[in-house]
Amino acid sequence: MIVSLCKRRGFIFQSSEIYGGLASTWDYGPLGAELKRNLKEAWWRSNVFERDDVEGLDASILMHPSVWMASGHVSSFEDTLVDCKSCNKRFKIEHIPSNKKCPECGGQITEARQFNLMLKTHLGPVEESGSLTYLRPETAQGIFVNFQNVVNSMRKRVPFGIAQIGKSFRNEVTTGNFTFRSREFEQMEIEFFVKPGTDEEWYRRWVDERFNWYLKLGIKKENLNKREHEKTELAHYAKACTDIEYRFPFGWSELEGIANRTDFDLKQHMKLSGQNLEYFDDETKERYLPYVIEPSGGIDRSILAFLVDSYREEKVKDDKRVVLGLNKSLAPLKAAVLPLLRNRPEIVKLAKEITNDLKKNFKAMYDDTASIGRLYRRQDEIGTPYCITVDVDSLSDSKVTVRDRDTMVQERVDVAKIKEYMVEKLKS
Ligand code: ATP
């Protein structure tokens, strides 16, 4: 349902579709691009603008190859894979049931093999080992290597965090489930540096903080879960980790992970770079390597969760309507201006004037390509919170009808006040 809506309405397309597509890579269409921008904006606003203990960063995707030696990704960023001898499907070892049979067809499986998930590339004209580097598999390392730069340039004191949104790449082998596991995706990550000993308290705080962020943006509570990792599941750098899971149509799966990365990364970078990355607390005169709490979420997985969660079908009299009940701040379009009669030039003119004025504040569109009923349905389906209709009466009383997406309640509003009214409504 969601996959077809995404394509039909311009949210998400398969990458290189005219060539048959490229596995596990996706393109965001006109509405998807708006939704993505809005989601990033919401994350940045609540984590960078509204906090005074987090600063932003935008590091490059390409990094010195030693970074990936230090981080442990060259030696241990691996999946253990098995293949089914009957249906030839490939699975991660952790998805194989205890009977050691294929989870899909029950067939016999092969021996396990290790597979490094980093995508390799060569810099410069010669493809030799010296020019080998990787496309980053996480944005976090760009933050660690800039830790001292941010401390010094912004005069930050621990505890504080560095936030970053950006592309990451993983050569995932077990793919599928739409955008959930892509080879190119975007992450929204914070590395929050704390004094050792205070790490467990900060870890708990961030788990709650991030869980509540999804709720505040409208994800239904019954579809969100916290799952603390068993010691045996932890990544090579982590002391503790909690996944925020969403109830996707294919089952509970990770939306975001909050990990206590200890001082693993800074220590490793200190070792391999030979630079002292210790923090000096000029009040207590202590020198130490901070511990790091990392909330690491995926933009693409969040978008999928918000789409799935907000999708609903409703009966309206004898008709059906599909609604994307997206939070207003995430909705790709905030308002659609619709002329009731498209063959009346004065109505069209007024509707276009209103649209152009609204566009100065937010994304709005003019549409006269169908009857009003169809236009409403179309906007409901893409989650537009308000439709503004200009009719014959508007020409004499200078009022327009504003229709609410969720309640379908209609209200007459003065044309002169419409922008102010909308700005107020969109805040709520
Ligand atoms: P999984 O076990 O599902 O592969 P992970 O534990 O490897 O995920 P992390 O390394 O914790 O994921 O990455 C942090 C976040 O980045 C994840 O919670 C997810 O939202 C996102 N992410 C990771 N891999 C992908 C991917 N291949 N496609 C889309 N998003 C991803």
Side-chain angles (χ1 to χ4, degrees):
M1 212 93 77
I2 283 290
V3 179
S4 93
L5 184 140
C6 280
K7 169 145 194 217
R8 202 159 29 85
R9 291 289 182 226
F11 281 93
I12 302 171
F13 309 126
Q14 201 179 7
S15 161
S16 323
E17 191 183 300
I18 59 167
Y19 289 100
L22 179 69
S24 299
T25 48
W26 302 93
D27 296 341
Y28 287 81
L31 297 186
E34 295 299 334
L35 174 54
K36 205 180 201 193
R37 282 173 52 110
N38 293 341
L39 182 77
K40 290 186 200 176
E41 164 78 18
W43 185 87
W44 196 266
R45 182 166 293 281
S46 79
N47 289 298
V48 183
F49 289 1
E50 291 174 8
R51 297 183 67 110
D52 47 23
D53 57 358
V54 176
E55 298 288 342
L57 182 79
D58 188 359
S60 59
I61 289 171
L62 296 172
M63 300 184 75
H64 194 286
S66 298
V67 167
W68 308 111
M69 310 279 272
S71 67
H73 283 84
V74 172
S75 58
S76 47
F77 190 52
E78 290 179 331
D79 267 352
T80 308
L81 302 171
V82 293
D83 294 300
C84 170
K85 290 181 181 166
S86 307
C87 69
N88 295 325
K89 288 227 171 93
R90 186 161 288 165
F91 302 94
K92 283 192 190 183
I93 192 87
E94 56 266 32
H95 296 152
I96 297 295
S98 53
N99 65 6
K100 302 265 184 303
K101 292 272 163 47
C102 170
E104 296 231 336
C105 75
Q108 276 210 332
I109 55 168
T110 59
E111 290 287 304
R113 286 173 298 112
Q114 299 293 331
F115 181 84
N116 192 294
L117 294 172
M118 280 202 293
L119 276 133
K120 296 191 183 80
T121 190
H122 288 271
L123 297 182
V126 193
E127 281 197 20
E128 39 151 32
S129 60
S131 66
L132 173 72
T133 191
Y134 304 92
L135 300 184
R136 67 180 177 198
E138 60 174 25
T139 61
Q141 297 305 325
I143 297 181
F144 291 123
V145 300
N146 278 296
F147 169 66
Q148 286 292 3
N149 283 337
V150 176
V151 169
N152 295 336
S153 59
M154 305 304 290
R155 298 185 307 279
K156 294 311 282 186
R157 305 182 61 87
V158 168
F160 82 97
I162 304 176
Q164 170 162 238
I165 296 178
K167 291 258 181 175
S168 292
F169 302 81
R170 295 182 189 180
N171 200 3
E172 301 278 5
V173 222
T174 55
T175 51
N177 291 334
F178 201 26
T179 55
F180 180 82
R181 194 177 299 288
S182 309
R183 291 191 166 124
E184 173 177 342
F185 54 98
E186 271 187 278
Q187 291 184 305
M188 37 189 187
E189 296 195 299
I190 300 169
E191 307 306 318
F192 198 83
F193 301 91
V194 304
K195 189 171 182 189
T198 63
D199 50 310
E200 287 183 17
E201 185 200 330
W202 275 107
Y203 166 67
R204 297 271 154 230
R205 268 211 229 175
W206 273 108
V207 170
D208 290 342
E209 181 88 17
R210 296 301 305 143
F211 189 83
N212 292 334
W213 185 79
Y214 290 102
L215 291 180
K216 209 171 77 193
L217 277 180
I219 296 277
K220 297 184 192 81
K221 199 164 185 189
E222 65 269 24
N223 292 335
L224 215 53
N225 181 45
K226 292 179 199 161
R227 189 181 72 83
E228 183 132 26
H229 283 210
E230 303 286 338
K231 287 272 174 270
T232 51
E233 270 181 272
L234 292 173
H236 61 274
Y237 49 74
K239 171 175 161 188
C241 185
T242 296
D243 284 349
I244 297 179
E245 297 181 325
Y246 180 74
R247 195 206 303 256
F248 285 100
F250 43 86
W252 286 101
S253 305
E254 175 181 339
L255 198 53
E256 167 156 352
I258 296 99
N260 182 343
R261 286 180 86 126
T262 69
D263 58 1
F264 175 86
D265 302 87
L266 288 179
K267 203 188 254 168
Q268 285 293 104
H269 286 307
M270 221 165 112
K271 215 188 281 171
L272 266 85
S273 70
Q275 305 278 326
N276 186 2
L277 300 181
E278 282 176 328
Y279 170 77
F280 178 66
D281 184 332
D282 52 15
E283 267 173 15
T284 62
K285 309 289 177 220
E286 283 173 288
R287 199 176 280 284
Y288 60 86
L289 267 188
Y291 267 34
V292 174
I293 309 304
E294 175 194 70
S296 169
I299 303 270
D300 311 80
R301 285 190 191 176
S302 291
I303 287 180
L304 190 56
F306 281 108
L307 287 171
V308 169
D309 209 73
S310 64
Y311 181 94
R312 62 178 197 265
E313 290 175 10
E314 284 175 0
K315 242 186 118 171
V316 186
K317 295 185 190 129
D318 291 329
D319 202 8
K320 187 188 92 169
R321 72 165 189 152
V322 170
V323 187
L324 268 191
L326 287 169
N327 183 287
K328 291 176 203 171
S329 65
L330 298 181
L333 295 177
K334 308 303 177 197
V337 187
L338 318 169
L340 199 60
L341 298 168
R342 63 182 143 159
N343 53 4
R344 290 284 298 267
E346 320 89 280
I347 295 185
V348 168
K349 182 166 173 274
L350 179 58
K352 287 190 175 166
E353 278 170 10
I354 294 174
T355 316
N356 287 336
D357 194 33
L358 295 180
K359 276 183 178 173
K360 292 180 192 146
N361 285 59
F362 47 77
K363 180 88 178 152
M365 79 176 282
Y366 167 88
D367 193 4
D368 66 5
T369 55
S371 67
I372 193 73
R374 301 242 346 232
L375 293 178
Y376 280 156
R377 295 287 175 272
R378 219 184 263 171
Q379 295 299 331
D380 289 344
E381 204 180 9
I382 62 173
T384 310
Y386 298 101
C387 286
I388 299 169
T389 309
V390 182
D391 55 24
V392 179
D393 291 343
S394 308
L395 301 174
S396 52
D397 69 2
S398 289
K399 287 182 186 221
V400 286
T401 304
V402 179
R403 171 187 177 270
D404 182 293
R405 173 194 70 199
D406 298 317
T407 60
M408 289 186 283
V409 169
Q410 306 196 354
E411 203 180 331
R412 292 290 280 179
V413 178
D414 277 340
V415 172
K417 295 211 179 111
I418 188 73
K419 188 150 91 177
E420 205 183 316
Y421 174 90
M422 287 297 302
V423 168
E424 233 7 78
K425 280 278 189 188
L426 288 168
K427 275 193 210 153
S428 61

